Each structure stands twice: as structure tokens, then as C-alpha cells.
Amino acid sequence: MLSRCIVSAALVLSFISNVQGELEWIGDSFLPKVVAGGTILSASNYSRVDNVQYGSGKGPTPEELIGNVTEVLDVAQLAVVRFPVSGGSSGLNSSLYLNISQHANRQLCAPDSDIVGAIMFHGTNTLEETAFGVDITFNCSKPFIATGAMRPDTYLSPDGRSNFYQAVAAAVSPASRNRGGLIAFNDKITSIYYSTKLNANTPDTFISLMQGNLGSFLAGQPYYFFDPAFPAGRPYFDVTNTTELPSVIILYGHQGFDASLMYAAVANGAKGLVILGPGAAQLSPNAQAAAKELFARGVPTIAVARPVSGTGVPGPYPGPIFYSSYLGPDQSRIVLQLAINAGYSLDEIRDVFENPLRTAVYGPQPNAEWYYAAANATS
Ligand SMILES: *[C@@H]1O[C@H](CO)[C@@H](O)[C@H](O)[C@H]1NC(C)=O
Ligand SMILES: *[C@@H]1O[C@H](CO)[C@@H](O)[C@H](O)[C@H]1NC(C)=O
Ligand SMILES: *[C@@H]1O[C@H](CO)[C@@H](O)[C@H](O)[C@H]1NC(C)=O
Ligand SMILES: *[C@@H]1O[C@H](CO)[C@@H](O)[C@H](O)[C@H]1NC(C)=O
Ligand SMILES: *[C@@H]1O[C@H](CO)[C@@H](O)[C@H](O)[C@H]1NC(C)=O
Ligand SMILES: *[C@@H]1O[C@H](CO)[C@@H](O)[C@H](O)[C@H]1NC(C)=O
């Protein structure tokens, strides 16, 4: 079994390759160009049914994966970009997505770029964080597609190869443009903006519960259910020159919540907080009091709904606690880090999180009348 995993890049190197700028292209030079970045697949040295203790086997490199899924070279020519990471995806931080985003913007968004899209292969544990960080810092209409594998490559029926093929097929499809970043995984396409890993073990794990699937793969080809649209209110941050981000801490609200943790986080250097509040992001009274005090000191707190689906809803008037508007805790943390880094004021940060939802809920009649009755009466 071990010999299956020890592979050479010879097969890949036998394909026509040509060097262009900093990228080396593999495959037929008449096909559309796709940049493939990311980490290697996992492999197990225990058995073909092991999907629990496979971290230490030697998996294929991206080049070897292309050699195992040569069909990708019938749809695209590929350039592999390696991003230095060590260990599994649980140990990663924002340095990775800042680096990937800077590369992707430089290579895909330049006016003269002939690259049609990018795919990112990533460990699934924190895929949603790296992907989200790239999504809201990537400034063009070309597809950025994240994918990965839930099963080790040594499994009886591994999922990584199929996911890889589908991600490449999505990256070359013009129908994938102008949608924001996408996740291609397990025969389905979802928006990075709204997706989270919902199952710790099964291949059907990247789900966007409220917003649903954008499309499906049939015979390897993407079929979109809707015409292109960007997620509502999706912000954009320029990270061309960013290498570090301010610390933002996530806390989990529960019965008996200890609000001193909020002050402790700030004393430890946190510049903002994200708190999961039970129900529609209802922080406990002590957490609300602490959030108000920290707000007065210039430290924002984002309240996120603790249920895996749904959202906290901002009040009709701006307040000292900001509601995340359907963004999950990991995603809210990344937006808050980027907004603080960009020098946004507290009001501007609140607007990024709340404005589209507040306008949608309280703007139209009759809600405008009901919720702003006092203001209307005096005007
Ligand atoms: C698998 O590899 C790891 C190190 O890479 C080793 O510790 C472990 O004993 C190996 N297991 C088997 C069954 O060979
Ligand atoms: C994957 O490709 C390598 C060559 O890069 C080869 O040695 C190996 O047998 C292939 N594995 C499968 C399962 O096709
Ligand atoms: C960013 O990625 C490139 C490879 O594409 C690598 O050479 C460089 O070391 C990376 N920088 C950081 C800070 O990780
Ligand atoms: C690109 O950046 C500009 C602002 O610098 C922004 O208005 C625009 O929406 C961004 N485009 C995309 C696709 O993110
Ligand atoms: C990034 O740094 C370069 C070089 O100092 C500068 O020209 C450019 O305007 C900066 N871009 C942003 C968005 O700050
Ligand atoms: C991220 O992790 C890498 C490797 O452990 C480290 O070199 C880097 O400084 C970290 N970056 C941040 C922003 O913490």
C-alpha cells in the first residue's frame, strides 16, 4: 500500500511545459490557463478503509495529482503554485490567504492576464477560512474555486480526484464568472461567502444551509441553477501590501457566560471580538454590558447567531453591538480583521456588517412606519 503513495513527477514532466513569467504551464498551450495552488492530498499507510488516522502517510503532490487525473489536461493547461505551509490546515493563519490573494490578484486580475481562473486545493478543516479570506480580497470577475478532499487519497473511493477535476472544469467555465469565490466539492457548487464545513467526517460537508447550492456537476461539467450574482453586501478589501492582521478573538456564548473573558482578550491584544450569541445572536446581559463598555473604548464586538443557520438582526438604529448578517463566526472574524486593518471607524465597521440587512428589513413600508414611528411623528 505504501508504494501506491510514493510517486514520481516523471509522468507530469513528460507533458509539454513552457515557462511564462513566474509560472510554468503544464499541458496543451491551446487550452485555457488555470492556476492551481494549494497543499498536497493526505494518504494513509494503514489501510484502504482508513479515513481517521491518515495524517502521516505520504500523499501525492499537486503535480502527481495531475498525473493521476490526466483528464484535467483535456480541459485546461495548469500552472502549479506552491504555498509554504507546515502541518494540517488546523495550524494555518491569515498569512496563507494573504499570500494566495496577492498571487491571485497579480496573476489573474492584471489587465493583460490570459489566465481564466484559479483553483485552490486546501485541507478541509479550515478551508472555509482561507477561501473566505481570498474571496473578499480578490478583485476581479474571474472564478476562484476552492476544493479539497475529505477522504485520504489511499481510500477505496477517494474524493479528491473527482473534486480536483470538477474544480478545474468550473474554473474554465465562463458561467463561473461574476459570482465571487466558489467551492466545488462532492458534485456541488456553493458560494465561499456562505459556506461552512458542517460534517467532520463525510464527503458531503461544505454546505450553505440558507443560501443553498449554486450548481451541480454532471459528467464533470458545472450546471448553474442561477445566472451570475455576487453575494449581497459582500465587501472588498485591498491587501496588496498587507502581511499581518490585527488580532480578533471568537468567544462562544452559553448559559453562565464569563464576560471577563472579553476584557481578558482585549488585554491580550485583541482589537475586536466576535461572540456567538444563543438564538438570534442574543448576548447575555453581562456580555452586552461588556460589549458596550468596550465599544466606548473603540473595540468592536460582532454578535453572530449561535444556531448553525439564520442570523442576528440589527435594530432599526445603529447600536454598540454589531450583527453579522448571515456571516458565520470565522467569516465575521476575517471581515473584522480586514476592516480594522483598513482603518475603518466603528461606524464604518458597523455599516459593513449591518447596512444591507438593516435597509432590507426596516427600509420598505410598512416596516419603515412601524419601526421608525417616533421619528416620523416628529418630522
Ligand atoms: C505510518 O507512518 C507513520 C509515520 O509517517 C508511522 O508513525 C506509523 O507507524 C506508520 N504506520 C504504519 C501502519 O506503517
Ligand atoms: C498516481 O500517479 C503516480 C505517478 O505520478 C503513480 O505512480 C500511481 O500509481 C498513480 N496512482 C493511481 C492510483 O493511479
Ligand atoms: C508566498 O508564496 C510564495 C509561493 O508562491 C512563496 O515563495 C513565499 O515564500 C510565500 N510567502 C509567505 C510569506 O508565505
Ligand atoms: C474591485 O475594487 C474596487 C474598489 O477598489 C471595488 O469597487 C470593486 O467592487 C472591486 N471588484 C470586485 C470584483 O471585487
Ligand atoms: C502598495 O505599495 C506600493 C509600493 O509602496 C504602492 O505604490 C501602492 O499604492 C500600495 N497599494 C496599496 C493599495 O496600498
Ligand atoms: C503564520 O504562521 C507562520 C508559520 O507558522 C508564521 O511564520 C507566521 O508568522 C504566521 N503569521 C501570522 C500573521 O501570525
Side-chain angles (χ1 to χ4, degrees), residues 44-266:
S44 174
N45 56 5
Y46 291 102
S47 82
R48 291 210 299 158
V49 291
D50 175 35
N51 69 345
V52 296
Q53 297 293 346
Y54 53 83
S56 56
K58 185 197 173 298
T61 64
E63 285 87 351
E64 289 162 355
L65 181 61
I66 295 170
N68 288 135
V69 191
T70 51
E71 290 84 352
V72 293
L73 296 177
D74 294 326
V75 291
Q77 48 175 327
L78 297 171
V80 173
V81 183
R82 244 186 223 78
F83 293 94
V85 296
S86 56
S89 82
S90 299
L92 297 175
N93 61 28
S94 56
S95 294
L96 179 62
Y97 78 72
L98 291 172
N99 198 357
I100 294 176
S101 177
Q102 287 161 6
H103 274 255
N105 276 292
R106 200 161 66 237
Q107 285 157 354
L108 276 76
C109 303
D112 58 349
S113 167
D114 61 353
I115 301 170
V116 300
I119 72 155
M120 176 184 80
F121 217 93
H122 195 286
T124 56
N125 286 355
T126 64
L127 182 152
E128 69 195 64
E129 292 174 69
T130 302
F132 185 88
V134 177
D135 183 25
I136 63 169
T137 59
F138 179 62
N139 195 237
C140 62
S141 60
K142 293 179 183 175
F144 171 76
I145 318 271
T147 193
M150 282 298 284
R151 292 172 169 172
D153 199 47
T154 39
Y155 199 75
L156 284 174
S157 58
D159 58 339
R161 297 167 189 210
S162 163
N163 288 343
F164 176 50
Y165 181 83
Q166 293 178 353
V168 174
V172 301
S173 169
S176 300
R177 298 178 68 119
N178 288 303
R179 295 178 183 275
L182 303 170
I183 296 182
F185 214 101
N186 201 40
D187 296 344
K188 293 182 295 191
I189 307 168
T190 57
S191 169
I192 287 174
Y193 197 72
Y194 289 120
S195 296
T196 193
K197 184 177 184 180
L198 276 189
N199 191 296
N201 317 105
T202 68
D204 192 25
T205 189
F206 287 99
I207 313 262
S208 172
L209 271 173
M210 282 292 273
Q211 298 80 12
N213 298 314
L214 301 186
S216 180
F217 290 97
L218 298 166
Q221 290 302 317
Y223 178 76
Y224 287 97
F225 305 135
F226 313 101
D227 285 338
F230 285 95
R234 172 174 167 270
Y236 164 72
F237 299 95
D238 187 323
V239 293
T240 309
N241 299 325
T242 303
T243 53
E244 273 183 69
L245 290 170
S247 163
V248 168
I249 295 297
I250 303 176
L251 295 170
Y252 192 97
H254 51 82
Q255 289 190 352
F257 180 73
D258 178 359
S260 74
L261 292 173
M262 296 166 66
Y263 296 107
V266 173

